[in-house]
Amino acid sequence: MSATTPIPEADGIAACPVSLELNGQRRHLDIEPWTTLLDLLRDRLAMTGTKKGCDHGQCGACTVLVDGKRVNACLTLAVMCDGKQVTTIEGLARGDELHPIQQAFIDHDAFQCGYCTPGQICSAVGMVNEGRARSRDDIREQMSGNICRCGAYPHILEAIEDALPAARAWAGEGER
Amino acid sequence: MNSTSPIGQPLPRVDGRLKVTGQAKYAAEFEIPGLLHGSVVNSTIARGRVRRIDTTAAEAVAGVVLVLTHENRPPVASYDEPYQDDDAADGSPFRPLYNDRVLYSGQPLALVVAESLELARYAGSLVRIEYDVEPHQTDLAAVREQAHPAPEEVPSRGDFEAAYRGAPLQIDHEYGTPIEHHNPMEPHASTVHYQPGDELIIHDKTQGVQNCMRYVEGVFGLEGKVQVHSPFVGGAFGSGLRPQYQLPLAVMAALKLKRSVRVVLKRQQMFTFGYRPRTLQRLAIGFSPNGRLEALHHGSLGQTSRFEDFTEHEVEWSGALYACDNVQLEYRLGSLDVYTPIDMRAPGAAIGVYALEAAMDEVAYAAAIDPLQLRLRNYTEINGNQGKPYSSKELCACYEQGAERFGWSRRPLEARSMRDGHELIGWGMATGVWEAMQMPASAKACLAADGRLIVSSATADIGTGTYTVMTQIAASALGLPMDRVEFRLGDSRFAQAPLEGGSATVSSVGSAVHQACVGLREKILDAAQQSPASPFTGASLDDVAFEDGELVLKREPARRVPLTQLIQTSGTLEAEASVKPGDEREKYATGTHSAIFVEVRVDEALGTVRVTRVVSAVAAGKVINPKTAASQILGGVVWGIGMALHEETWTDHRLGRYMNHNLAEYHVPVNADIHDIDVFFVEEQDSVVNDLGSKGVGEIGIVGVAAAVANAIYHATGKRVRDLPITPDKLL
Ligand code: FES
Ligand code: FES
């Protein structure tokens, strides 16, 4: 249950038991059917690395990986994640070693305020998994679901382009 | 500064790791046991009175603890002064939940507080409000005749009317810019941590923690009981310069319930406070056949609310940027049933310089002169508004090097002369200009017992890189490696700092950080001289150096002592400094300048525009960190592209209400909209602006970009669109 406030029982609607793997840890949770994955993470589990920018699937700030695929957590009901693997920005690094895309974002200054950044990075990792990004234009197009109001796009592009090979290798190692 | 000084190095952000791992905490992300969540209910009419608010259904929801309205809110100040924050406009500031008056559509009228966010949001939908509706006006064009002079002096010189009539060539056009909303990715949020005795620790999204602290203390009579923290800000661009309404609402609920409360605005509610005002601007220019400006009129009509007169520098640039003896500037405001605008990235300049630079392009075509030549022909190093020379102005270097990198010399003069298949290609350019302000600021430097240098000031880092550049300035001053220096900000208890805005933070807070470290040098030397056998006995600051974490005697460099060792005997050393703008500045005009070159490709059949190449050459004095500074300029250019092509908040004037208040319909550039942007800084020495010679780069990046894009579109298509944004429908 919550690290903060327990949610009172709503009349007649039972919370559903959900079991998911969150950043490599098995979690058993009771979740109201209307709770989004985003609100589950931010408000009930105090995992605020995943950001809320619009709550309507319009900005990408809430992007996380569900079974390796990038999804908008604000458009995903938490109960839909039963039995799935959820990876958030907090779960990308291996110990002290940053994921190559995280490191490249620092090296290329691919952010300013940092608020869109967790979503950008998760989205980029998801894009790597999709394996369809071959050119700079592909990356631009496939990263266009993530708004950066600070306008860091050219550096985001450079960072991802630079990190692509290492990110592919990283994903391969993860599978072994 | 020695050769190993971090100043001028393209260092990665010191807060980078926190940001890429999701550990940086923003205003809505602080955990407090027993926290309540508030959801705001906004007005659906633009003007009138609340006749009745029915909160019964909302209150009946299990888990709802309070529905706050003007009828049951805790006491607040009744006069204007406490509400007048550091960035307040002239007039009577908006007072949330003050009474039954509705002043604009989207005005907060109730706050539902519940045990969870979902419950608060749901219960908010059950609040029923009945209104006495009054007729409203939200259309600036409809109040042209009733507009009043802005409460701001705009300079004029010479005799415009006569010179304009006598000029061999003239242009006279109107340019329009729309309402734009900042839309930082992080919505505005306040988390109020309630402590016994009405002491409040507030995490707020703001560009000025002390501004918000004074506001809350004044409005609620809580002098000395309020702390405001804001270590990370998810973008603001001006929207955090004034306290926004979620702050007083969260405070009201916390005081009433004596519990901790968080209020986060929804994206839709990010359209219910300040914005960039719509303007209608007129440029009338008389000039000679060789392009010399003989007479220039720039008038602007901007919108404001009925309760405050919002002003910004929209027309002044036209009296400063070029040589012209007869200049007439005019600035009027139209009051509407809307919220007051607020500064938005390069306030005034973004839109005023757009109109000026678009008009200059029209002058170039009317005189058949290359647009860059035209600028050079009217070049001046005197600010004509003030009659003072610039302390430095390397704009010519920007023109020259920018043109070179862009390949401007190969540009054919005629419009519609370049094509690639179905795309028309155009090249346009414009000049950018912004101020180089400095405000009084303070900082404290402390050499801690472990030998680390901790420097602090109540400033902000809204993505601008404040943490990093201040660390660089401090590390340089004391000859320490970056990782032994920590800069702290975003805490109202820290040394005084101005609002983070106007590109003035490096100049203001940076100077204070530098001075505090200089003060600390003295303390360190003093401490080193305490022991009788000290090699530093009799040495003055000029005789010593601070290098690699050691105090060194210059004439005998073998005599050195590590600061870590010194501090063990002396104990913690501290110095605080307050810095004001120097008197020397009085004699000069100061500013940053830029030249922007743009290539567009316009699909002839669809009217879609792609900005395929941008070169932005910037003169901003000494650049402390070329990496973060380039990011600032890049961001500004992206904003300029959005301003030229995408951004516009539409109002349904029948309802007095915004129609596209979400990120799907309020278009901002996405990654695929942005292509090659080449940013560079030209050398510019300036010993007048401040000790660092640094001018700040937050605004200059956007200024002129929209004009350069519009001018390129004209060059591509032969169509002059004078009403931003230039959407495909306007090009067909
Ligand atoms: S918060 Fe989910 S897409 Fe914006
Ligand atoms: S870094 Fe600020 S929104 Fe992307």
Side-chain angles (χ1 to χ4, degrees):
Chain A
M1 199 50 203
S2 162
T4 56
T5 318
I7 296 181
E9 293 240 337
D11 304 341
I13 302 170
C16 312
V18 171
S19 162
L20 50 80
E21 196 186 307
L22 181 55
N23 293 334
Q25 277 192 331
R26 175 72 37 203
R27 305 287 291 254
H28 301 282
L29 301 157
D30 288 321
I31 305 171
E32 280 72 21
W34 55 76
T35 298
T36 63
L37 177 56
L38 181 57
D39 286 341
L40 170 73
L41 291 169
R42 284 177 66 83
D43 285 326
R44 287 194 47 198
L45 304 178
M47 289 175 59
T48 53
T50 307
K51 303 303 179 194
K52 184 184 280 190
C54 70
D55 221 7
H56 281 62
Q58 297 169 344
C59 76
C62 62
T63 307
V64 298
L65 299 162
V66 176
D67 287 347
K69 293 202 178 64
R70 47 184 171 164
V71 300
N72 288 337
C74 70
L75 293 187
T76 306
L77 290 171
V79 290
M80 292 157 63
C81 295
D82 189 33
K84 307 225 158 127
Q85 283 186 344
V86 177
T87 307
T88 69
I89 191 72
E90 291 96 337
L92 282 181
R94 290 183 189 146
D96 272 351
E97 191 191 355
L98 294 179
H99 186 284
I101 300 218
Q102 289 175 309
Q103 186 60 49
F105 265 59
I106 297 178
D107 297 342
H108 290 270
D109 207 35
F111 52 88
Q112 293 169 44
C113 76
Y115 198 79
C116 75
T117 311
Q120 301 276 1
I121 291 173
C122 286
S123 191
V125 172
M127 187 186 68
V128 172
N129 294 343
E130 288 157 20
R132 292 183 296 120
R134 287 181 191 90
S135 66
R136 288 164 72 86
D137 277 345
D138 286 350
I139 298 175
R140 285 184 174 116
E141 186 65 33
Q142 292 170 33
M143 286 300 294
S144 281
N146 292 82
I147 295 176
C148 175
R149 185 55 160 160
C150 293
Y153 300 124
H155 287 172
I156 292 172
L157 173 66
E158 279 173 24
I160 294 174
E161 200 184 17
D162 192 23
L164 261 185
R168 288 195 190 111
W170 177 283
E173 284 159 29
E175 273 154 28
R176 256 176 271 137
Chain B
M1 282 155 217
N2 54 39
S3 58
T4 56
S5 163
I7 288 192
Q9 306 291 327
L11 299 175
R13 283 171 204 260
V14 296
D15 51 342
R17 197 175 173 100
L18 290 178
K19 284 178 173 171
V20 301
T21 54
Q23 301 307 308
K25 283 209 179 296
Y26 300 82
E29 300 177 347
F30 290 84
E31 252 196 293
I32 297 165
L35 183 73
L36 296 170
H37 299 260
S39 183
V40 182
V41 180
N42 305 74
S43 81
T44 53
I45 65 160
R47 183 183 166 99
R49 280 182 190 277
V50 173
R51 195 190 313 140
R52 205 169 84 87
I53 301 191
D54 181 355
T55 58
T56 4
E59 278 160 346
V61 175
V64 169
V65 293
L66 172 71
V67 181
L68 199 67
T69 69
H70 65 277
E71 286 166 345
N72 65 347
R73 59 153 172 79
V76 291
S78 56
Y79 40 95
D80 287 340
E81 212 186 305
Y83 291 91
Q84 273 157 347
D85 65 277
D86 293 352
D87 194 37
D90 263 39
S92 217
F94 173 62
R95 291 172 284 182
L97 302 193
Y98 187 68
N99 57 22
D100 61 351
R101 293 258 15 144
V102 177
L103 304 170
Y104 68 100
S105 181
Q107 176 179 325
L109 295 179
L111 180 77
V112 180
V113 185
E115 300 287 348
S116 81
L117 175 64
E118 291 147 321
L119 283 171
R121 214 161 41 194
Y122 167 64
S125 72
L126 303 177
V127 173
R128 292 281 166 266
I129 304 177
E130 290 168 31
Y131 302 96
D132 288 324
V133 182
E134 294 168 19
H136 66 264
Q137 180 57 268
T138 53
D139 186 0
L140 181 65
V143 300
R144 265 179 208 269
E145 302 311 318
Q146 297 97 289
H148 60 278
E152 179 195 81
E153 293 248 335
V154 286
S156 286
R157 59 181 179 266
D159 183 348
F160 165 78
E161 298 291 348
Y164 183 74
R165 270 195 311 274
L169 295 164
Q170 292 124 345
I171 61 145
D172 186 349
H173 297 295
E174 184 170 281
Y175 301 85
T177 65
I179 293 175
E180 293 177 353
H181 279 84
H182 307 66
N183 277 308
M185 292 314 297
E186 180 204 16
H188 277 253
S190 303
T191 304
V192 178
H193 191 173
Y194 183 85
Q195 319 271 306
D198 288 352
E199 304 227 348
L200 306 180
I201 299 173
I202 303 174
H203 301 280
D204 188 44
K205 176 188 176 83
T206 177
Q207 292 170 257
V209 281
Q210 292 174 331
N211 189 32
C212 288
M213 177 199 73
R214 282 190 292 272
Y215 177 91
V216 173
E217 287 189 347
V219 168
F220 296 95
L222 294 173
E223 278 69 20
K225 293 183 166 188
V226 179
Q227 287 175 31
V228 178
H229 298 240
S230 192
F232 290 98
V233 180
F237 316 108
S239 69
L241 289 171
R242 301 184 69 178
Q244 299 304 354
Y245 66 74
Q246 88 287 342
L247 173 63
L249 292 191
V251 170
M252 283 179 199
L255 292 176
K256 178 122 184 155
L257 295 166
K258 303 210 175 294
R259 289 184 63 180
S260 298
V261 178
R262 169 185 300 155
V263 178
V264 185
L265 298 188
K266 295 182 236 176
R267 178 54 56 185
Q268 287 73 1
Q269 291 166 332
M270 293 299 288
F271 292 77
T272 57
F273 53 92
Y275 52 89
R276 200 193 290 286
R278 182 182 175 196
T279 62
L280 299 167
Q281 303 180 51
R282 182 183 160 218
L283 260 297
I285 302 178
F287 48 101
S288 67
N290 68 4
R292 281 265 156 68
L293 304 187
E294 295 183 0
L296 190 154
H297 166 93
H298 188 172
S300 183
L301 169 64
Q303 79 172 62
T304 191
S305 65
R306 292 207 194 277
F307 45 95
E308 285 173 312
D309 272 350
F310 172 81
T311 59
E312 54 185 359
H313 292 175
E314 287 171 11
V315 295
E316 283 85 343
W317 316 102
S318 291
L321 198 48
Y322 300 112
C324 181
D325 292 336
N326 303 289
V327 176
Q328 183 186 65
L329 305 178
E330 197 181 276
Y331 185 20
R332 292 182 311 137
L333 297 176
S335 304
L336 299 170
D337 297 300
V338 296
Y339 196 73
T340 312
I342 191 170
D343 290 338
M344 179 161 159
R345 202 164 199 173
I351 49 184
V353 175
Y354 151 68
L356 169 66
E357 288 296 287
M360 285 296 280
D361 203 60
E362 308 215 30
V363 170
Y365 279 91
I369 297 172
D370 174 79
L372 176 55
Q373 279 308 312
L374 178 78
R375 267 86 175 174
L376 291 170
R377 210 157 279 178
N378 291 288
Y379 187 80
T380 173
E381 294 195 349
I382 307 284
N383 178 325
N385 291 334
Q386 304 171 353
K388 293 177 186 172
Y390 279 98
S391 60
S392 60
K393 182 178 175 182
E394 292 296 341
L395 177 57
C396 279
C398 296
Y399 285 142
E400 201 178 305
Q401 295 170 36
E404 174 67 32
R405 277 164 93 135
F406 186 84
W408 184 259
S409 62
R410 298 193 305 275
R411 177 184 184 270
L413 199 57
E414 318 84 76
R416 265 189 107 82
S417 54
M418 296 194 291
R419 167 190 289 278
D420 178 11
H422 59 102
E423 285 184 318
L424 300 168
I425 300 173
W427 291 0
M429 60 86 54
T431 314
V433 54
W434 182 249
E435 297 161 63
M437 292 180 276
Q438 183 180 8
M439 260 90 73
S442 308
K444 185 166 147 183
C446 168
L447 194 62
D450 59 359
R452 290 171 59 77
L453 174 64
I454 315 281
V455 184
S456 57
S457 178
T459 183
D461 187 335
I462 58 174
T464 39
T466 313
Y467 277 116
T468 309
V469 296
M470 297 305 157
T471 306
Q472 288 175 267
I473 292 168
S476 170
L478 283 176
L480 287 168
M482 287 284 285
D483 60 8
R484 273 180 54 194
V485 182
E486 185 183 336
F487 183 71
R488 296 181 183 163
L489 52 69
D491 184 329
S492 58
R493 295 169 300 178
F494 290 167
Q496 176 273 329
L499 291 170
E500 196 206 20
S503 297
T505 300
V506 167
S507 190
S508 312
V509 179
S511 297
V513 164
H514 180 71
Q515 277 311 318
C517 292
V518 169
L520 192 56
R521 279 190 213 155
E522 263 174 65
K523 297 259 171 90
I524 293 170
L525 177 60
D526 204 45
Q529 290 169 335
Q530 291 311 309
S531 86
S534 169
F536 300 98
T537 307
S540 75
L541 265 186
D542 289 340
D543 301 326
V544 297
F546 291 81
E547 276 173 21
D548 306 326
E550 295 178 318
L551 177 68
V552 184
L553 197 60
K554 279 188 195 159
R555 61 186 140 79
E556 257 179 286
R559 293 185 167 256
R560 47 176 64 223
V561 46
L563 301 190
T564 40
Q565 184 183 322
L566 241 166
I567 199 82
Q568 313 224 306
T569 32
S570 70
T572 303
L573 296 172
E574 275 183 11
E576 189 160 339
S578 298
V579 176
K580 290 193 187 58
D583 297 338
E584 190 68 5
R585 284 176 74 102
E586 288 299 306
K587 296 184 218 149
Y588 295 93
T590 57
T592 50
H593 293 87
S594 68
I596 306 104
F597 299 86
V598 165
E599 174 183 277
V600 297
R601 284 168 171 258
V602 184
D603 187 298
E604 206 181 1
L606 301 174
T608 48
V609 179
R610 291 190 301 140
V611 177
T612 43
R613 245 168 13 103
V614 179
V615 172
S616 173
V618 180
K622 173 88 191 160
V623 175
I624 308 286
N625 185 327
K627 200 181 192 99
T628 54
S631 284
Q632 285 279 289
I633 302 296
L634 274 176
V637 171
V638 169
W639 272 58
I641 293 171
M643 181 180 164
L645 302 178
H646 309 128
E647 292 191 40
E648 174 171 24
T649 308
W650 298 322
T651 308
D652 182 335
H653 294 300
R654 292 165 309 174
L655 299 171
R657 201 169 162 78
Y658 297 137
M659 296 187 277
N660 57 337
H661 51 322
N662 60 70
L663 289 173
E665 294 166 291
Y666 182 93
H667 291 169
V668 300
V670 297
N671 212 318
D673 293 316
I674 301 304
H675 300 271
D676 287 354
I677 304 176
D678 176 13
V679 168
F680 69 97
F681 298 94
V682 304
E683 279 288 318
E684 188 176 71
Q685 311 283 338
D686 196 317
S687 57
V688 173
V689 278
N690 53 54
D691 286 350
L692 301 162
S694 184
K695 292 178 175 176
V697 290
E699 336 284 325
I700 185 67
I702 183 178
V703 186
V705 176
V709 173
N711 297 343
I713 290 173
Y714 176 78
H715 188 236
T717 63
K719 285 202 181 110
R720 194 65 82 175
V721 179
R722 301 190 182 92
D723 200 17
L724 297 183
I726 306 176
T727 42
D729 52 305
K730 295 179 187 171
L731 287 172
L732 291 177

